Amino acid sequence: MPVVSLAKVVTSPAVAGDLAVRVPFIYWKRLVSNRVSFGKLRRRSCIGQCVRSELQSPRVLGSVTDLALDNSVENGHLPKGDSWAVHKFGGTCVGNSERIKDVADVVVKDDSERKLVVVSAMSKVTDMMYDLIHRAESRDDSYLSALSGVLEKHRATAVDLLDGDELSSFLARLNDDINNLKAMLRAIYIAGHATESFSDFVVGHGELWSAQMLAAVVRKSGLDCTWMDARDVLVVIPTSSNQVDPDFVESEKRLEKWFTQNSAKIIIATGFIASTPQNIPTTLKRDGSDFSAAIMSALFRSHQLTIWTDVDGVYSADPRKVSEAVVLKTLSYQEAWEMSYFGANVLHPRTIIPVMKYDIPIVIRNIFNLSAPGTMICRQIEDEDGYKLDAPVKGFATIDNLALVNVEGTGMAGVPGTASAIFSAVKEVGANVIMISQASSEHSVCFAVPEKEVKAVSEALNSRFRQALAGGRLSQIEIIPNCSILAAVGQKMASTPGVCATFFNALAKANINIRAIAQGCSEFNITVVVKREDCIRALRAVHSRFYLSRTTLAVGIIGPGLIGGTLLDQIRDQAAVLKEEFKIDLRVIGITGSSKMLMSESGIDLSRWRELMKEEGEKADMEKFTQYVKGNHFIPNSVMVDCTADADIASCYYDWLLRGIHVVTPNKKANSGPLDQYLKIRDLQRKSYTHYFYEATVGAGLPIISTLRGLLETGDKILRIEGIFSGTLSYLFNNFVGTRSFSEVVAEAKQAGFTEPDPRDDLSGTDVARKVTILARESGLKLDLEGLPIQNLVPKPLQACASAEEFMEKLPQFDEELSKQREEAEAAGEVLRYVGVVDAVEKKGTVELKRYKKDHPFAQLSGADNIIAFTTKRYKEQPLIVRGPGAGAQVTAGGIFSDILRLAFYLGAPS
């Protein structure tokens, strides 16, 4: 649509009648005779005078022009300094009449000698004003009804708050303002376009109305209070369409003059709006009310600036993404600056600049929670006792919806002006560069821009470097979409070695891939670019690692039988202690059996998991279960705990580890299965930051695997490992004494629950053979289970029995052989023990029934204890022995639980 000349608009019959009564003749004549187009209006000082004059009405707006030209004002003195306290209340704080009363109550109760209060427009009003302009520009007649809505919102609020002369006076001014706006919007409607100056003038009315209403409410308390149109005082110089710089010298002069005419102990000032040096109304742009308050605080040299919001202060991370985020007691100016730049809901970075000069602290407080002390932003306090004393990192912030642009080529190295050419092209399309990273080799430079701008950036760069690309000096201009930025911020990072290592280690352990890195020489922040889908997990991982919250694990339990059920009960009983004392949050978000599974994103209530499994469980689906455990973006680390003895489940371990899921298991099938699969899993584990713990595969809760690893890692050499690895077989031969028959002892053990439902599973020796295979492989031997000699204690004729009952019935028929072996051993002063042996020297393993002297450690066992002897280069004369209970639900579950906690410590929990 073509831009219409303003002269044509204001001389048209449709508009002339509306404007004539409001625009003084001298400005009307100048406006029309100059034939000024809308595009030039903002560059003519007459429009400031015109617009200000257009809205002339008793005490609504003091004229900036009049103030600047009036030299007859008596000289007065504005008291500055600690007697002043400055408060700023945002739109949410003054969103309705009740909230305005609450704000007035806060102002009245502040015991400062003098108070300046900066207010925003009522909640949503600024958006409503921009909507009016948009409708008028679109020549949509509904702007009139929308304007009536604005009128009614403020009229109803005033009626609720005020009475008598205060109400009458405000409503009269409100109606005048609405009529003036109606005329202005009519002109915009006809022209089909509004200049920035006209837009700024229209949208600034919300602040005028909220300031007047709040001042009137405060006056009802009997206090000396007036209101200030900040356009009479604040002078700013526009530097771009989205930024202005305050003119402090001129603003100080105007403030002194304003105060001589409007002296009061309490001043309610408009936020967001100001004037240019030519007295043209303007704004401080979006979020400008905080900036207004900071400028005012600097002008008054106040002792403190309190910014009232709807949150308890500045959080260590976005609480919507990190539920354990904490409110920080203090931040330095630089830390707040960095966090706000990177998207934290703190302040606009420019807000901090005016108060820094005078060391004025900023306090962020919650109007809806007056008991919360908030966050103080000030110069670095060396002895501050924040959430964690001397924490090098104060908080974390993220920016989403970014794309990474990578420009690379050998022709860039050592060529002056390449970076300048790149960023000149970016500037020409008006794109905002969020972060830049370049290696010292100068082979490539990458930078992050908002995703909505990346297409224009790509086209501009390809156009600018068309010849370089064709000639091979540049190899590519690559666009990597779907990125996010994660920044760690802290002033003490600069003096604390190892912060980077901790930061990157936390990301690696959460299986987060970093695409670009940047850190300024000030070392106040570390910035990384990650995949958008990984951003929340990355944020939670680093937040946990720096002790600002608990180390949280998403836990999936497979096999809620005897072992798995006992483990769940142990986690339930210990959960509170782990959270409080060790900062570990084990969140069981999934439990699956062979037929049913139960899932909950917030964590399953372990006090009634059995009941929930029956009532809410759905059909088991391992792929869906895996996706659910891994796909929880709010928990950075996930672990599968396999409590089964299922080979099919064990075959999933490689895929889980590949997907970044940690694995904890007592299932022996993976580590004793096919050698190539075992080696594949171990190789993947060593190359990644994904952990695989299986201590309970050999000795239940006994530290057998960890002892073996400790020996090997410290340089010892394994010669022989020999042990009684089966709690069942230990019990059987510890009680196979005197005149008792073997079948009698087996029946007793089965009745006591020490054997498998079918005792042949224990007597076959296969379980012991698996443990021997695992220990042999841990020692570096490449043994296969199939090639291991195993002495099977099940008589051959009974191996084919159809049932356990049939086996138990026929077993007494074969007691004679074992009784004979026992008698021979006793005659020689020995005992029978069923053992597994790893002979590292001969590189072989065996499982057999052996005889030992009665003074041998293996002969001293009782009950169902296990015992393992490590003969090594260091422990050659006297083997290193590990002994203790090696079977039972409680000790096995305890071993698994211990592995889960070891994983948590590896991932950053304080030990």
Side-chain angles (χ1 to χ4, degrees):
M1 180 181 295
V3 175
V4 181
S5 165
L6 181 63
K8 293 179 182 177
V9 174
V10 297
T11 54
S12 69
V15 181
D18 285 338
L19 289 181
V21 295
R22 295 181 182 84
V23 182
F25 177 74
I26 181 68
Y27 299 133
W28 177 287
K29 183 176 180 182
R30 184 182 303 170
L31 201 64
V32 176
S33 63
N34 284 347
R35 298 282 177 177
V36 183
S37 72
F38 258 56
K40 296 178 181 177
L41 268 173
R42 61 195 176 113
R43 294 191 289 274
R44 299 291 183 89
S45 61
C46 68
I47 188 58
Q49 299 163 333
C50 172
V51 173
R52 302 292 284 173
S53 300
E54 181 190 354
L55 294 177
Q56 286 281 346
S57 58
R59 241 350 251 131
V60 179
L61 304 169
S63 169
V64 174
T65 307
D66 292 344
L67 243 158
L69 300 177
D70 183 6
N71 295 317
S72 63
V73 178
E74 293 182 8
N75 290 328
H77 176 66
L78 168 67
K80 297 181 180 180
D82 288 349
S83 64
W84 286 96
V86 176
H87 296 265
K88 181 265 175 178
F89 295 93
T92 306
C93 300
V94 292
N96 54 46
S97 56
E98 286 303 315
R99 291 181 180 178
I100 292 174
K101 289 176 186 176
D102 292 340
V103 167
D105 191 50
V106 170
V107 174
V108 169
K109 288 180 179 177
D110 180 2
D111 58 4
S112 300
E113 183 181 348
R114 299 174 185 274
K115 289 164 275 193
L116 175 84
V117 179
V118 177
V119 291
S120 298
M122 292 178 69
S123 180
K124 306 298 182 185
V125 166
T126 300
D127 289 337
M128 293 169 74
M129 303 304 281
Y130 275 115
D131 182 57
L132 289 174
I133 296 167
H134 175 71
R135 293 183 189 218
E137 285 183 314
S138 303
R139 293 177 174 165
D140 182 348
D141 291 327
S142 65
Y143 78 87
L144 291 169
S145 60
L147 183 60
S148 296
V150 173
L151 168 63
E152 179 55 29
K153 181 180 178 75
H154 290 85
R155 189 200 66 77
T157 304
V159 168
D160 201 22
L161 291 172
L162 311 175
D163 50 35
D165 291 344
E166 289 279 16
L167 177 60
S168 300
S169 176
F170 175 78
L171 290 179
R173 293 193 293 256
L174 176 65
N175 284 315
D176 280 344
D177 288 345
I178 293 296
N179 288 331
N180 292 331
L181 285 171
K182 191 179 294 183
M184 177 67 76
L185 291 167
R186 176 63 176 167
I188 294 171
Y189 177 93
I190 293 173
H193 177 72
T195 65
E196 185 180 339
S197 299
F198 273 42
S199 296
D200 287 348
F201 174 73
V202 171
V203 299
H205 277 73
E207 280 71 17
L208 296 172
W209 297 325
S210 60
Q212 292 173 66
M213 286 191 287
L214 179 58
V217 175
V218 173
R219 282 196 295 270
K220 288 176 71 175
S221 301
L223 299 178
D224 177 22
C225 179
T226 189
W227 77 280
M228 173 198 290
D229 179 353
R231 294 178 294 193
D232 296 342
V233 173
L234 291 190
V235 179
V236 296
I237 302 167
T239 56
S240 71
S241 60
N242 293 313
Q243 189 167 302
V244 294
D245 287 338
D247 184 339
F248 283 99
V249 174
E250 183 61 27
S251 297
E252 294 244 21
K253 291 177 184 177
R254 295 193 181 190
L255 176 59
E256 289 280 356
K257 255 177 196 185
W258 184 93
F259 194 80
T260 60
Q261 295 178 341
N262 303 278
S263 177
K265 290 291 183 74
I266 303 175
I267 301 170
I268 311 296
T270 57
F272 185 54
I273 57 177
S275 289
T276 68
Q278 295 77 32
N279 303 319
I280 299 173
T282 188
T283 69
L284 278 68
K285 313 311 172 190
R286 283 287 190 176
D287 301 317
S289 291
D290 285 352
F291 196 18
S292 297
I295 297 169
M296 287 292 188
S297 193
L299 291 174
F300 281 85
R301 313 292 194 270
S302 69
H303 73 268
Q304 182 172 292
L305 166 60
T306 304
I307 295 181
W308 295 87
T309 66
D310 56 359
V311 293
D312 286 344
V314 181
Y315 283 84
S316 53
D318 186 338
R320 294 167 300 182
K321 298 177 180 178
V322 181
S323 58
E324 299 87 357
V326 297
V327 176
L328 300 171
K329 291 184 178 179
T330 63
L331 278 176
S332 70
Y333 292 125
Q334 288 82 0
E335 287 167 340
W337 205 339
E338 295 280 357
M339 288 187 72
S340 60
Y341 175 78
F342 284 102
N345 187 20
V346 186
L347 296 167
H348 193 282
R350 289 173 60 80
T351 301
I352 300 164
I353 299 172
V355 297
M356 282 182 66
K357 181 178 180 182
Y358 301 104
D359 279 347
I360 300 169
I362 304 172
V363 179
I364 312 293
R365 293 195 62 191
N366 190 348
I367 187 67
F368 305 114
N369 183 14
L370 298 180
S371 63
T375 299
M376 177 175 284
I377 300 170
C378 53
R379 290 214 179 271
Q380 179 72 19
I381 302 173
E382 292 301 325
D383 58 349
E384 60 94 9
D385 59 343
Y387 183 76
K388 180 181 183 296
L389 189 64
D390 295 324
V393 177
K394 279 292 184 68
F396 303 90
T398 58
I399 305 177
D400 294 320
N401 303 317
L402 300 177
L404 202 60
V405 181
N406 181 42
V407 183
E408 64 179 63
T410 54
M412 294 173 60
V415 180
T418 303
S420 173
I422 290 170
F423 294 111
S424 293
V426 174
K427 180 184 176 183
E428 286 174 7
V429 296
N432 180 28
V433 177
I434 308 294
M435 186 207 83
I436 303 170
S437 179
Q438 182 179 15
S440 58
S441 66
E442 300 183 59
H443 176 70
S444 68
V445 58
C446 70
F447 54 93
V449 297
E451 208 155 36
K452 62 184 179 181
E453 298 172 358
V454 74
K455 183 179 179 182
V457 169
S458 176
E459 290 173 353
L461 290 173
N462 277 285
S463 175
R464 176 67 64 90
F465 295 103
R466 185 177 290 109
Q467 285 187 338
L469 287 164
R473 295 192 303 278
L474 287 186
S475 57
Q476 67 172 343
I477 296 172
E478 181 186 13
I479 305 299
I480 305 171
N482 302 318
C483 293
S484 292
I485 276 179
L486 168 64
V489 174
Q491 194 160 345
K492 291 186 180 178
M493 286 164 57
S495 57
T496 308
V499 174
C500 278
T502 304
F503 182 78
F504 293 125
N505 189 256
L507 293 175
K509 287 182 175 180
N511 208 37
I512 305 294
N513 184 43
I514 299 170
R515 292 184 160 177
I517 303 168
Q519 181 180 24
C521 60
S522 67
E523 296 185 58
F524 287 171
N525 88 64
I526 304 169
T527 304
V528 297
V529 178
V530 299
K531 291 180 183 177
R532 185 190 305 160
E533 65 202 56
D534 291 338
C535 187
I536 294 177
R537 281 198 307 117
L539 176 61
R540 290 185 65 97
V542 295
H543 194 272
S544 296
R545 188 63 185 89
F546 282 91
Y547 300 78
L548 294 172
S549 69
R550 301 183 184 98
T551 296
T552 307
L553 272 171
V555 182
I557 303 288
I558 304 168
L562 180 61
I563 303 298
T566 305
L567 173 63
L568 285 165
D569 293 341
Q570 289 181 354
I571 293 173
R572 175 200 64 206
D573 296 341
Q574 194 67 6
V577 174
L578 290 174
K579 286 181 182 180
E580 191 63 32
E581 296 186 16
F582 298 96
K583 307 301 179 191
I584 297 172
D585 183 1
L586 299 182
R587 202 166 299 176
V588 179
I589 66 171
I591 303 172
T592 184
S594 57
S595 58
K596 275 190 172 185
M597 65 182 182
L598 176 68
M599 298 183 292
S600 171
E601 189 172 298
S602 58
I604 295 167
D605 180 359
L606 296 185
S607 66
R608 48 194 298 265
W609 69 267
R610 291 176 176 86
E611 177 186 339
L612 292 171
M613 196 82 170
K614 291 177 183 176
E615 295 174 358
E616 301 176 14
E618 57 183 278
K619 185 179 179 182
D621 181 330
M622 186 52 67
E623 179 56 33
K624 183 178 179 181
F625 186 80
T626 303
Q627 279 286 78
Y628 190 85
V629 173
K630 174 60 179 173
N632 191 315
H633 294 297
F634 289 92
I635 302 178
N637 298 292
S638 52
V639 56
M640 286 288 200
V641 183
D642 173 20
C643 297
T644 73
D646 192 316
D648 289 336
I649 301 296
S651 68
C652 298
Y653 293 177
Y654 183 83
D655 180 58
W656 291 343
L657 293 168
L658 197 62
R659 291 160 77 166
I661 305 172
H662 307 287
V663 177
V664 171
T665 184
N667 187 343
K668 294 177 275 292
K669 298 295 172 62
N671 284 15
S672 63
L675 181 62
D676 59 335
Q677 291 184 23
Y678 166 79
L679 294 174
K680 192 177 174 184
I681 290 173
R682 293 305 308 274
D683 185 56
L684 175 61
Q685 182 199 1
R686 292 187 187 99
K687 290 179 179 177
S688 70
Y689 281 90
T690 312
H691 297 284
Y692 174 41
F693 292 133
Y694 44 87
E695 182 71 72
T697 57
V698 175
L702 296 180
I704 297 173
I705 298 289
S706 54
T707 299
L708 175 56
R709 282 191 175 175
L711 293 169
L712 293 170
E713 288 167 0
T714 56
D716 204 351
K717 184 177 181 180
I718 303 297
L719 302 177
R720 184 181 180 88
I721 303 172
E722 188 171 1
I724 298 172
F725 295 104
S726 167
T728 301
L729 291 167
S730 176
Y731 179 87
L732 292 178
F733 285 98
N734 287 337
N735 288 277
F736 183 41
V737 292
T739 60
R740 302 189 71 188
S741 67
F742 189 68
S743 61
E744 180 187 344
V745 177
V746 173
E748 178 184 86
K750 186 176 187 299
Q751 183 68 30
F754 288 138
T755 72
E756 293 292 334
D758 188 338
R760 285 177 294 181
D761 293 340
D762 297 299
L763 298 174
S764 69
T766 303
D767 183 67
V768 175
R770 288 190 182 279
K771 295 176 181 179
V772 168
T773 303
I774 291 170
L775 291 176
R777 290 175 176 180
E778 288 291 310
S779 303
L781 305 182
K782 294 183 178 180
L783 293 190
D784 260 320
L785 179 65
E786 287 74 13
L788 203 66
I790 304 171
Q791 183 176 346
N792 192 335
L793 296 181
V794 180
K796 275 191 178 182
L798 301 185
Q799 291 177 11
C801 285
S803 67
E805 290 73 21
E806 182 187 350
F807 166 74
M808 291 301 299
E809 186 182 333
K810 295 180 177 179
L811 184 59
Q813 301 172 18
F814 299 88
D815 280 339
E816 186 179 344
E817 176 62 29
L818 278 177
S819 295
K820 184 180 178 182
Q821 290 187 45
R822 179 187 62 192
E823 291 169 4
E824 290 174 356
E826 287 177 348
E830 297 174 337
V831 296
L832 294 176
R833 294 292 183 259
Y834 194 81
V835 298
V837 179
V838 176
D839 188 337
V841 177
E842 298 294 329
K843 298 184 177 169
K844 66 179 184 178
T846 56
V847 176
E848 59 186 333
L849 187 64
K850 290 185 65 176
R851 289 161 47 169
Y852 292 90
K853 292 292 184 184
K854 289 188 177 179
D855 61 351
H856 192 281
F858 286 15
Q860 311 300 315
L861 285 186
S862 62
D865 280 4
N866 284 8
I867 186 168
I868 295 89
F870 293 93
T871 303
T872 71
K873 189 175 179 181
R874 291 179 192 153
Y875 295 93
K876 193 170 184 179
E877 303 301 324
Q878 186 73 27
L880 175 63
I881 291 178
V882 178
R883 173 181 171 175
Q890 287 293 335
V891 293
T892 304
I896 302 167
F897 199 175
S898 178
D899 268 353
I900 296 171
L901 295 181
R902 189 149 60 104
L903 172 63
F905 295 136
Y906 270 61
L907 296 174
S911 56

